[in-house]
Amino acid sequence: MTMNPLTMLRPVRAGNAFEETVERLLQAIKLGVVGPGEKLPPERELAVQLGISRVTLREAIRALQEAGYLDVRRGRYGGAFVTYVPPPPGQGDLRKAVADMGLADLSDALTFRMAVECGAAEVLATSELTDEQQALLRRRLSELNEAGVEDYRRLDTAFHLSIAELTGSPLLATACADARLRVSDLLNAIPMLHVNLEHAAVQHQAIVAAILAGDPDAARRAVAEHLEGTAALLRAFLS
């Protein structure tokens, strides 16, 4: 099964097609769904998925090029390549991100993420996965375990979103991407701690093992434990 990395992009509503297209593409870029140096899917595929004309899509891509997020190259090997690289976390970034968000919205975002990601893992654990789907999930885990600090957040996002995407539900994939996006600035601002990354690796392995074993209760518990760990780390750095 070949997965479209932009499964989480939902169709644009009529009215503000250009603005919404820019927003959707920017969300995917900031989440790292298409990483630095990687190419967006072909125009015709993106236009169909977003439900917009290729003219509108080109205008949005041009705007993101001018803003420094994309590099558009012509020719046989051309396309729109991502140039955005998330800034490294700096002291005070986490507090600023929380202040910008507000504590009530932060709590709501963490609750939303807990609900949709636990639900996605539970659904996937009840599904009959093909060998290719199982291999994809294992590959996402392996790539994350081998990631360097500079790629960790992007590959962590890819791992988490792949669980929702493999359910085959575009609504669930979109919800999980939305939930991740709401906390992405916070996650990017958390310092990389070796011990925390080791804990996360064990928890990620438990999530995959439960899904592949077809145990929805264990899958839900494993995701809940993992997300609780992230929330605890947020609280620790904010206290």
Side-chain angles (χ1 to χ4, degrees):
M1 176 184 177
T2 301
M3 283 173 49
N4 177 350
L6 297 180
T7 303
M8 39 74 70
L9 286 181
R10 60 192 184 279
V12 166
R13 294 166 296 183
N16 296 309
F18 166 74
E19 291 83 0
E20 284 205 25
T21 302
V22 170
E23 180 186 22
R24 300 275 199 281
L25 294 177
L26 198 51
Q27 287 173 346
I29 291 167
K30 286 193 169 184
L31 275 177
V33 175
V34 183
E38 294 181 355
K39 185 167 66 170
L40 294 182
E43 277 186 5
R44 63 183 178 278
E45 290 180 18
L46 267 182
V48 169
Q49 186 170 351
L50 291 167
I52 56 173
S53 71
R54 289 173 75 167
V55 172
T56 299
L57 178 60
R58 284 176 191 145
E59 287 175 346
I61 287 174
R62 191 178 304 118
L64 289 172
Q65 181 182 25
E66 290 171 0
Y69 290 93
L70 293 172
D71 174 29
V72 179
R73 303 174 203 163
R74 302 299 172 195
R76 184 178 175 187
Y77 300 106
F81 293 82
V82 173
T83 53
Y84 171 78
V85 178
Q91 198 168 13
D93 283 357
L94 185 58
R95 290 188 182 280
K96 182 181 183 306
V98 171
D100 290 345
M101 191 176 198
L103 289 176
D105 282 349
L106 170 59
S107 177
D108 191 22
L110 294 175
T111 299
F112 178 50
R113 187 182 179 206
M114 179 72 77
V116 294
E117 289 206 21
C118 285
E122 190 172 5
V123 168
L124 193 59
T126 64
S127 306
E128 288 287 334
L129 297 180
T130 65
D131 290 345
E132 202 173 351
Q133 289 174 314
Q134 292 182 33
L136 177 65
L137 189 59
R138 290 193 180 98
R139 187 166 72 250
R140 289 280 187 266
L141 178 63
S142 175
E143 288 169 350
L144 178 54
N145 286 339
E146 294 167 8
V149 170
E150 66 283 354
D151 278 334
Y152 184 84
R153 289 295 177 211
R154 182 174 69 84
L155 293 173
D156 182 52
T157 299
F159 169 74
H160 280 270
L161 294 187
S162 70
I163 293 172
E165 289 166 356
L166 283 168
T167 67
S169 168
L171 286 174
L172 196 47
T174 299
C176 285
D178 187 21
R180 178 77 179 203
L181 193 68
R182 289 171 190 274
V183 297
S184 63
D185 285 347
L186 303 176
L187 296 178
N188 288 339
I190 295 176
M192 293 284 186
L193 303 177
H194 183 66
V195 173
N196 173 246
L197 297 185
E198 287 183 341
H199 287 170
V202 171
Q203 291 165 346
H204 289 147
Q205 179 61 52
I207 293 168
V208 171
I211 289 170
L212 296 180
D215 189 336
D217 289 338
R220 186 184 66 249
R221 286 196 306 272
V223 172
E225 181 180 338
H226 176 52
L227 297 187
E228 264 303 320
T230 301
L233 206 58
L234 276 172
R235 289 192 294 270
F237 279 107
L238 290 170
S239 62

